[in-house]
Amino acid sequence: MARKTASDDLLAPVTLAVGQEDLLLDRAVREVVAAARAADSDTDVRDLTPDQLQPGTLAELTSPSLFAERKVVVVRNAQDLSADTVKDVKAYLGSPAEEITLVLLHAGGAKGKGLLDAARKAGAREVACPKMTKATDRLAFVRGEFRTVGRSATPEACQALVDALGSDLRELASAVSQLVADIEGTIDEATVGRYYSGRSEASNFTIADRAVEGRVVEALEALRWSIATGEPPVKIVSALAQGVRAIGKLQSSPNARPADLGMPPWKINQVRQQMRGWSPDGVAVALRAVAEADAGVKGGGDDPEYALEKAVVTIARAARSRGRA
């Protein structure tokens, strides 16, 4: 969800949306336009790219109207405006017109920083729209989507959705909308699995989960699907490593707090279920298998796919090591 870092008045004279997450930038625009049209259904919206905003264009668009109509002027990629146009925008910021809302979309960073600083100095309402590169950020996004519509989803369901759909926020937002529209009550992991089984079962962490649970056939099926869809082998190895390390952490410190283990409570509960068949020796064997697979997919072997399959089989067998001679 886009974060507001200044006034929350959607009809503030200037809104500055900063970041590179397209979905959040588009939402920032839609929110302002919706508020303007709620105040005046005849609001005129002008959505412009840098090449469309030439010197003098902004003055023309914001000049007083005979009918005092409300207007929203959206400027995308403001960091790419020409020097002369930036001068126009800075001048406008010092004396914005009534009944007009200017929305500047800026990528942030060094390019066009003068305009960014000028808008902030002028007291623009600011909306942060950062690129969500971390899985934890995308997980927080999904949870926020459910909260925004007043619906409940389990932590496992939110994680499953992120695992299934990856980094595309538009897909994640669309998936939440679909689930909310179709499902009554709390949305759980099983529900997500029914809707997105083809992709969810091919996710890296699903491969790891099936392997550490000793479900070798399902793990290999998911692995082959993931490879067929072009998933980088290095990422699959990383997921396997995380799965085995989680078993090892909890096995060596069964009473540790979630914060000390670096895992949320729901994940610890999941790992407790998965570790039932594991012995300390089994964890050691699995870690060696992961290390060998890592070397194999990074040029140390002739066949990365074989290295992954071997690791998955070894891990699944190690998951059943407790109680064996």
Side-chain angles (χ1 to χ4, degrees), residues 243-316:
V244 175
R245 286 173 187 152
I247 298 288
K249 281 183 180 181
L250 196 56
Q251 194 177 73
S252 60
S253 303
N255 299 316
R257 297 176 302 174
D260 295 332
L261 294 169
M263 292 183 280
W266 69 265
K267 180 63 175 177
I268 291 177
N269 290 336
Q270 181 186 48
V271 176
R272 287 190 196 282
Q273 297 292 322
Q274 293 173 334
M275 66 183 283
R276 289 177 177 172
W278 285 86
S279 69
D281 287 344
V283 172
V285 168
L287 287 173
R288 284 196 296 272
V290 169
E292 290 174 3
D294 187 58
V297 303
K298 291 179 178 177
D302 296 329
D303 189 343
E305 293 184 19
Y306 172 73
L308 287 169
E309 289 186 0
K310 182 180 177 182
V312 165
V313 171
T314 301
I315 292 168

Side-chain angles (χ1 to χ4, degrees), residues 9-33:
D9 180 10
L10 290 168
L11 296 181
V14 181
T15 285
L16 178 64
V18 184
Q20 299 179 45
E21 191 60 70
D22 290 339
L23 173 66
L24 301 184
L25 291 168
D26 288 344
R27 283 186 175 180
V29 172
R30 288 201 302 270
E31 286 180 348
V32 172
V33 170

Side-chain angles (χ1 to χ4, degrees), residues 201 206-207 210-211 213 215-223 312:
E201 289 172 5
T206 300
I207 297 169
R210 298 298 86 82
E213 290 163 3
R215 296 156 64 178
V216 64
V217 174
E218 294 173 51
L220 287 173
E221 286 178 352
L223 172 64
V312 165

Side-chain angles (χ1 to χ4, degrees), residues 3-322:
R3 300 191 301 274
K4 283 73 173 179
T5 57
S7 168
D8 236 0
D9 180 10
L10 290 168
L11 296 181
V14 181
T15 285
L16 178 64
V18 184
Q20 299 179 45
E21 191 60 70
D22 290 339
L23 173 66
L24 301 184
L25 291 168
D26 288 344
R27 283 186 175 180
V29 172
R30 288 201 302 270
E31 286 180 348
V32 172
V33 170
R37 286 183 169 157
D40 181 353
S41 60
D42 293 326
T43 294
D44 181 22
V45 178
R46 304 295 180 92
D47 197 324
L48 308 170
T49 56
D51 61 301
Q52 294 174 314
L53 193 66
Q54 299 298 319
T57 304
L58 183 62
E60 179 183 339
L61 290 173
T62 58
S63 60
S65 168
L66 179 64
F67 302 102
E69 65 179 351
R70 182 175 291 279
K71 186 179 295 184
V72 175
V73 178
V74 180
V75 179
R76 296 183 182 272
N77 299 312
Q79 73 278 357
D80 295 330
L81 292 172
S82 68
D84 288 337
T85 303
V86 167
K87 290 180 183 178
D88 287 352
V89 176
K90 287 182 177 180
Y92 176 81
L93 293 173
S95 182
E98 292 186 11
E99 301 299 315
I100 292 178
T101 297
L102 175 65
V103 183
L104 298 173
L105 275 56
H106 195 293
K111 188 176 183 181
K113 189 173 185 298
L115 178 57
L116 195 62
D117 293 341
R120 286 168 172 162
K121 186 176 180 180
R125 167 184 176 264
E126 185 169 342
V127 182
C129 305
K131 197 75 175 175
M132 295 190 181
T133 58
K134 297 180 180 179
T136 52
D137 292 336
R138 295 191 289 274
L139 182 58
F141 171 80
V142 168
R143 290 171 175 166
E145 292 290 285
F146 282 116
R147 282 197 301 271
T148 297
V149 295
R151 291 295 300 276
S152 175
T154 66
E156 295 85 354
C158 294
Q159 184 66 60
L161 206 53
V162 172
D163 289 345
L165 300 182
S167 61
D168 191 321
L169 289 199
R170 292 186 188 278
E171 284 198 68
L172 289 170
S174 176
V176 170
S177 297
Q178 181 179 10
L179 290 168
V180 166
D182 293 354
I183 305 298
E184 295 183 359
T186 299
I187 294 165
D188 58 18
E189 186 179 15
T191 301
V192 174
R194 287 198 302 273
Y195 272 71
Y196 301 99
S197 59
R199 300 174 71 167
S200 179
E201 289 172 5
S203 74
N204 299 337
F205 290 104
T206 300
I207 297 169
D209 285 341
R210 298 298 86 82
V212 300
E213 290 163 3
R215 296 156 64 178
V216 64
V217 174
E218 294 173 51
L220 287 173
E221 286 178 352
L223 172 64
R224 287 161 187 158
W225 181 275
S226 192
I227 291 171
T229 57
E231 185 66 15
V234 172
K235 291 187 176 181
I236 299 174
V237 172
S238 177
L240 291 171
Q242 290 183 53
V244 175
R245 286 173 187 152
I247 298 288
K249 281 183 180 181
L250 196 56
Q251 194 177 73
S252 60
S253 303
N255 299 316
R257 297 176 302 174
D260 295 332
L261 294 169
M263 292 183 280
W266 69 265
K267 180 63 175 177
I268 291 177
N269 290 336
Q270 181 186 48
V271 176
R272 287 190 196 282
Q273 297 292 322
Q274 293 173 334
M275 66 183 283
R276 289 177 177 172
W278 285 86
S279 69
D281 287 344
V283 172
V285 168
L287 287 173
R288 284 196 296 272
V290 169
E292 290 174 3
D294 187 58
V297 303
K298 291 179 178 177
D302 296 329
D303 189 343
E305 293 184 19
Y306 172 73
L308 287 169
E309 289 186 0
K310 182 180 177 182
V312 165
V313 171
T314 301
I315 292 168
R317 287 175 177 170
R320 300 190 294 271
S321 61
R322 184 178 293 278

